[in-house]
Amino acid sequence: MSRVTIAPEEDRLNAQIAFAIEIDKLKRVIRRNHLMDGSRRENDAEHSWYVGLLAMILGEHAPAGTDIQRVVAMLLVHDLVEIDAGDTFIYDAAAVAAQADAERAAADRIFALLPGGQGAEMRALWEEFEARQTVESRFAKALDRFAPILANHHTEGGTWGLFKVKAAQVREKVRIIEEGSPSLGAYALELVELSVARGHLSE
Amino acid sequence: MSRVTIAPEEDRLNAQIAFAIEIDKLKRVIRRNHLMDGSRRENDAEHSWYVGLLAMILGEHAPAGTDIQRVVAMLLVHDLVEIDAGDTFIYDAAAVAAQADAERAAADRIFALLPGGQGAEMRALWEEFEARQTVESRFAKALDRFAPILANHHTEGGTWGLFKVKAAQVREKVRIIEEGSPSLGAYALELVELSVARGHLSE
């Protein structure tokens, strides 16, 4: 947009709009897991909506005193770095290790589109999510891990079979859920064991 | 899931999970407008993420005292009724009128999946959004209208041309943006006039 005069507050808005245009790309970052009807793979934007709303619905299963609104905010920004770095399959250990540098570079570029302190504020949400040192980030990460287990259980194994994921690997992810929410961890473990019992997840 | 013993708190969690499985369907409700690269139409779930994050980014353009976290929560639930009622093109006046009853019936069914007071709490967010009587709901609705204008401007007219939408109709939607945020309303109007000047939107 060409503008004849630019007031400081317009500079801020223009920077925010540039960010808004950039983040639309998250709708084109495709994850491994499928929708619950199995019709197609999920993208990062709809996944981010889903876990953000899950935080609102399942907030009572977080430790007392957890700031659920901060969890929601964290989940809405948690995958933005994948615009540059792409989605990494959590069961591919080598890819996960290589991913850290790419995500940091992506954070440098994407959050810097925002004006002044706002970029730092949004980046802090992402850093907090990744570091998993607060109750909010541990609960956010728990939901991020819970959603694909729920979807795979619901679709008779879904992407577990497709990508030859074994029960022991999924149980390891369940530990991350337990750290954020003991009750959701217990529930997820029950889904995993039911999936094994039904032959939808291999030992 | 079969359970041998069901404690009251497990009843609550089971109801929340039933809701979580149901709302996955929002990823399959397709809207008229396109992604910013024009590659495909957008779905309600990724749209809900987008406007929720826009609220976080553009919150300073809401009236002072607006509870932005409530705006985010409202935007994450605002389209759930479209799981049953489908998306209505905002420029199709007859369809918009017929939609109200269908959305109310959808709200009755979908929010009732949640336990106890939680369904009422989520439904209240949706009712508030629709009624547009609070600063939060007016700002939320403004963002819901702002996003497609930004996308259409960015894609050289996008769905405006496709669905033969005229400038006067878009300017009417801009008024709803102005009611929620004068500065975003002014910005949107500028996008509309630029689109007209460039021949991407017809008078």
Side-chain angles (χ1 to χ4, degrees), chain A residues 1-3 9-10 12-14 16-17 19-24 26-28 30 33-37 39-40 42-50 52-54 56-61 67 69-70 72-77 80 114-115 118 122 125 146 150-151 153-154 183-184 187 190-191 194 198, chain B residues 1-3 9-10 12-14 16-17 19-24 26-28 30 33-37 39-40 42-50 52-54 56-61 67 69-70 72-77 80 114-115 118 122 125 146 150-151 153-154 183-184 187 190-191 194 198:
Chain A
M1 261 178 74
S2 61
R3 286 165 173 276
E9 63 274 18
E10 285 196 332
R12 267 187 81 81
L13 180 52
N14 280 329
Q16 288 160 340
I17 296 295
F19 181 80
I21 289 167
E22 180 65 25
I23 64 175
D24 198 77
L26 198 65
K27 299 169 187 168
R28 289 183 276 131
I30 308 299
N33 63 288
H34 291 169
L35 303 196
M36 290 221 193
D37 71 339
S39 60
R40 62 167 171 83
E42 185 183 46
N43 70 60
D44 268 353
E46 59 198 2
H47 160 73
S48 298
W49 163 77
Y50 189 76
L53 187 44
L54 272 197
M56 286 169 56
I57 298 303
L58 298 174
E60 68 198 54
H61 306 286
D67 178 350
Q69 291 170 323
R70 187 164 180 87
V72 173
M74 213 177 276
L75 286 166
L76 295 187
V77 305
L80 286 177
L114 285 168
Q118 194 172 34
M122 293 298 135
L125 283 170
F146 185 78
L150 183 62
H153 174 265
H154 195 71
S183 56
L184 290 184
Y187 193 94
E190 200 170 340
L191 294 182
L194 267 170
R198 290 174 185 168
Chain B
M1 260 178 75
S2 61
R3 285 165 173 278
E9 63 273 19
E10 284 197 332
R12 266 186 82 81
L13 180 52
N14 281 328
Q16 288 159 341
I17 295 295
F19 180 81
I21 289 168
E22 180 64 27
I23 65 175
D24 198 77
L26 198 66
K27 299 169 186 168
R28 289 183 277 133
I30 308 300
N33 63 289
H34 291 170
L35 302 196
M36 290 221 193
D37 71 338
S39 59
R40 62 166 171 83
E42 185 183 44
N43 70 60
D44 268 354
E46 59 198 2
H47 160 73
S48 297
W49 162 77
Y50 189 77
L53 187 44
L54 272 197
M56 285 169 56
I57 298 304
L58 298 175
E60 69 197 55
H61 306 285
D67 178 351
Q69 292 170 322
R70 187 164 180 85
V72 173
M74 213 177 277
L75 285 165
L76 295 187
V77 304
L80 285 178
L114 285 168
Q118 194 172 34
M122 293 298 136
L125 284 169
F146 185 78
L150 183 62
H153 175 266
H154 194 71
S183 55
L184 291 184
Y187 194 94
E190 200 170 339
L191 295 181
L194 267 170
R198 291 173 185 171

Side-chain angles (χ1 to χ4, degrees), chain B residues 72-92:
Chain B
V72 173
M74 213 177 277
L75 285 165
L76 295 187
V77 304
H78 84 289
D79 270 344
L80 285 178
V81 293
E82 297 190 359
I83 287 173
D84 287 352
D87 180 58
T88 308
F89 193 41
I90 57 163
Y91 295 107
D92 180 344

Side-chain angles (χ1 to χ4, degrees), chain A residues 77-176:
Chain A
V77 305
H78 85 288
D79 270 343
L80 286 177
V81 294
E82 297 191 357
I83 287 173
D84 288 352
D87 180 57
T88 309
F89 193 41
I90 56 163
Y91 295 107
D92 180 346
V96 168
Q99 186 76 346
D101 285 349
E103 292 195 347
R104 200 152 294 277
D108 289 345
R109 183 186 75 77
I110 295 165
F111 293 117
L113 294 170
L114 285 168
Q118 194 172 34
E121 198 188 313
M122 293 298 135
R123 183 180 180 134
L125 283 170
W126 172 71
E127 301 266 13
E128 183 178 339
F129 175 81
E130 288 296 318
R132 236 161 39 83
Q133 295 299 311
T134 59
V135 284
E136 284 77 19
S137 56
R138 279 195 289 266
F139 187 60
K141 189 70 97 171
L143 294 172
D144 192 40
R145 293 288 179 262
F146 185 78
I149 290 177
L150 183 62
N152 280 337
H153 174 265
H154 195 71
T155 52
E156 307 195 334
T159 50
W160 287 329
L162 205 58
F163 298 111
K164 304 196 190 311
V165 174
K166 301 292 178 197
Q169 293 172 282
V170 184
R171 287 190 196 104
E172 210 175 287
K173 301 304 167 197
V174 168
R175 255 184 266 147
I176 290 175

Side-chain angles (χ1 to χ4, degrees), chain B residues 134-182:
Chain B
T134 59
V135 285
E136 285 77 19
S137 56
R138 279 195 289 266
F139 187 60
K141 189 70 97 171
L143 294 172
D144 191 39
R145 293 288 179 263
F146 185 78
I149 290 177
L150 183 62
N152 279 337
H153 175 266
H154 194 71
T155 52
E156 307 195 334
T159 50
W160 287 330
L162 205 58
F163 298 110
K164 304 196 189 314
V165 174
K166 301 292 179 194
Q169 292 172 281
V170 184
R171 286 190 197 103
E172 210 174 287
K173 301 303 167 198
V174 167
R175 254 184 268 148
I176 290 174
I177 302 174
E178 278 165 2
E179 286 172 24
S181 167

Side-chain angles (χ1 to χ4, degrees), chain B residues 91-140:
Chain B
Y91 295 107
D92 180 344
V96 168
Q99 186 77 347
D101 286 348
E103 291 196 346
R104 201 153 292 276
D108 289 344
R109 183 186 75 77
I110 295 165
F111 293 116
L113 294 171
L114 285 168
Q118 194 172 34
E121 198 188 313
M122 293 298 136
R123 184 180 179 133
L125 284 169
W126 172 71
E127 301 266 14
E128 182 178 339
F129 175 82
E130 288 296 318
R132 234 161 39 83
Q133 296 299 309
T134 59
V135 285
E136 285 77 19
S137 56
R138 279 195 289 266
F139 187 60

